[in-house]
Amino acid sequence: MQVAYSNDRLSSRMAVDPSIAGEPEVESSVIEWLLHDDQVMRECFTHAAEILKSVTGAAITAITLLDEEHQHYRAEVGMAMPLVTRARSLADYAVRDADLFVIEDAHDDARFGECMLVQRHPFVRFYAAIALRAPNGEIVGALCAMDPSPGRLNEGQRGVFYHLRAMIENDLKMRTATAIDPLTQLYNRRFLLESIARRWKEARDGDVMGSVVVDVDWFKQYNDTYGHQAGDHCLRKVASVMQAAADGDGIIAGRMGGEEFGLLVLHAEPAALQGTLETLRQGVVDLAIEHRASPLGVVTVSVGGAMTRINESSRAAHRDGFASADRALYRSKHAGRNLVTMA
């Protein structure tokens, strides 16, 4: 059975509100998705930046995306912009306020003495930006305009920022509905499979791709013991471990359905992949989620992994990679579960 493409044992579940009182929100995949995988949103960003440049007359307009450490530019109009650390970016100031953020002359404001765009080319003095949010309220970045000369915005130009933000956030809402699993905030099955096929096709000869299948052990018994609401909470916690792995190691992670997850590891190395998957397995154990129906006493996962070196014969074989990972997963389960097995 090919887990990545067979739906025989992937149970459907009702999506529920993830914001149960006292439960931490699962970190979203939205930033990773926008940085790497969505052509439709890139086109939306480009149109917005072009409109903003036309209306404001600013030398440079762009969409910035913010992860924990960096500001990433998308759809720059006017010049190609460098990667900037978030701590030294202007956008980090802009997203702290729900309203339009405007600096008429950065040289007159001591807050921006360490900002790279002010101190280095293009030596920004005028800057205006408005925060952009994902449907779950997470700040993902900002729409911005900047210029090496001081400047101001009139009321009409200010209004365009708000209109463009509404357009971008509406498109983002529609796209995330088709790409993100509402329960876990990982990629959903369809978008994960599309991403896997695209990344496999784009890989260069000699690249090594890791295919991984993860299954929560004795999950039916967990639901029977604690109820489906507790089961949903459990899946969100396990998903947070998957997302932490994806954030740190160039992994695309998604929910295949039910209690099953799939991961594609880019530029995989045998020893490093084994270590990453062991860390993932242990991370679920460390959640210490009680599971009285499991002989292990806590929620655990079984993991199967396979590696494929890309060449002409394997370029169209992403299905085979996940079939191998699925067989390795079953060896983990038959050997007692809570194990990582490589094909």
Side-chain angles (χ1 to χ4, degrees):
M1 177 186 59
Q2 297 186 12
V3 168
Y5 288 86
S6 170
N7 200 36
D8 293 342
R9 66 186 176 92
L10 300 184
S11 60
S12 61
R13 299 177 58 83
M14 293 294 290
V16 299
D17 185 353
S19 56
I20 295 176
E23 180 180 333
E25 184 179 343
V26 176
E27 186 176 355
S28 172
S29 298
V30 172
I31 292 292
E32 177 70 16
W33 166 56
L34 290 175
L35 283 173
H36 298 293
D37 281 297
D38 197 74
Q39 179 64 34
V40 172
M41 287 309 302
R42 286 199 294 269
E43 291 176 0
C44 172
F45 291 163
T46 298
H47 291 315
E50 291 279 8
I51 292 169
L52 190 63
K53 181 173 174 60
S54 177
V55 170
T56 63
I60 305 161
T61 55
I63 302 291
T64 63
L65 299 175
L66 296 170
D67 60 24
E68 290 186 0
E69 297 183 356
H70 293 98
Q71 170 186 269
H72 306 265
Y73 283 97
R74 287 295 177 270
E76 307 101 305
V77 179
M79 69 172 287
M81 301 296 288
L83 180 71
V84 176
T85 58
R86 179 165 180 166
R88 299 185 67 186
S89 72
L90 292 169
D92 191 49
Y93 286 94
V95 299
R96 299 175 192 179
D97 197 329
D99 293 327
L100 178 62
F101 178 80
V102 180
I103 308 166
E104 294 185 350
D105 190 346
H107 290 187
D108 293 338
D109 195 322
R111 292 178 297 171
F112 310 116
E114 296 298 318
C115 288
M116 293 179 66
L117 293 182
V118 176
Q119 297 302 315
R120 302 179 186 176
H121 186 76
F123 302 103
V124 170
R125 298 183 70 176
F126 166 76
Y127 180 85
I130 194 163
L132 302 172
R133 293 181 179 270
N136 65 358
E138 172 193 13
I139 291 174
V140 295
L143 170 66
C144 65
M146 62 193 85
D147 199 277
S149 299
R152 292 185 178 183
L153 295 175
N154 60 39
E155 287 305 308
Q157 291 168 331
R158 287 175 176 269
V160 168
F161 275 90
Y162 289 95
H163 287 301
L164 289 175
R165 174 168 70 175
M167 179 189 77
I168 293 168
E169 291 183 349
N170 184 63
D171 281 4
L172 190 55
K173 181 178 181 179
M174 290 189 291
R175 286 296 289 167
T176 53
T178 64
I180 304 298
D181 173 57
L183 178 65
T184 64
Q185 294 298 295
L186 297 175
Y187 292 150
N188 62 26
R189 176 187 177 85
R190 175 181 175 183
F191 196 84
L192 176 65
L193 297 183
E194 290 176 353
S195 296
I196 289 169
R198 180 167 56 253
R199 292 303 187 89
W200 206 282
K201 182 178 180 180
E202 293 172 350
R204 296 174 296 181
D205 285 353
D207 285 351
V208 178
M209 306 293 265
S211 306
V212 181
V213 182
V214 181
D215 191 81
V216 181
D217 297 325
W218 293 286
F219 188 71
K220 180 181 183 300
Q221 292 85 345
Y222 185 93
N223 269 342
D224 292 344
T225 302
Y226 298 97
H228 285 276
Q229 185 176 22
D232 288 343
H233 172 82
C234 172
L235 290 176
R236 285 193 291 272
K237 297 291 287 184
V238 172
S240 71
V241 177
M242 306 290 165
Q243 187 59 55
D247 288 343
D249 292 284
I251 297 172
I252 298 172
R255 183 186 180 200
M256 299 302 303
E259 68 274 22
E260 200 158 62
F261 301 87
L263 299 90
L264 179 68
V265 183
L266 310 175
H267 309 295
E269 297 180 0
L273 179 58
Q274 179 86 32
T276 295
L277 298 184
E278 286 290 352
T279 298
L280 185 154
R281 181 200 60 79
Q282 185 61 46
V284 174
V285 173
D286 291 344
L287 294 173
I289 302 172
E290 180 187 78
H291 190 347
R292 296 192 301 271
S294 165
L296 301 175
V298 296
V299 169
T300 59
V301 293
S302 295
V303 184
M307 301 183 66
T308 306
R309 185 173 298 278
I310 301 299
N311 53 40
E312 283 305 312
S313 62
S314 66
R315 186 164 296 281
H318 52 280
R319 292 175 175 85
D320 295 342
F322 277 88
S324 296
D326 193 41
R327 290 190 290 270
L329 168 69
Y330 270 89
R331 293 204 297 275
S332 289
K333 297 177 87 68
H334 292 158
R337 311 196 186 197
N338 190 33
L339 293 172
V340 174
T341 301
M342 298 298 297

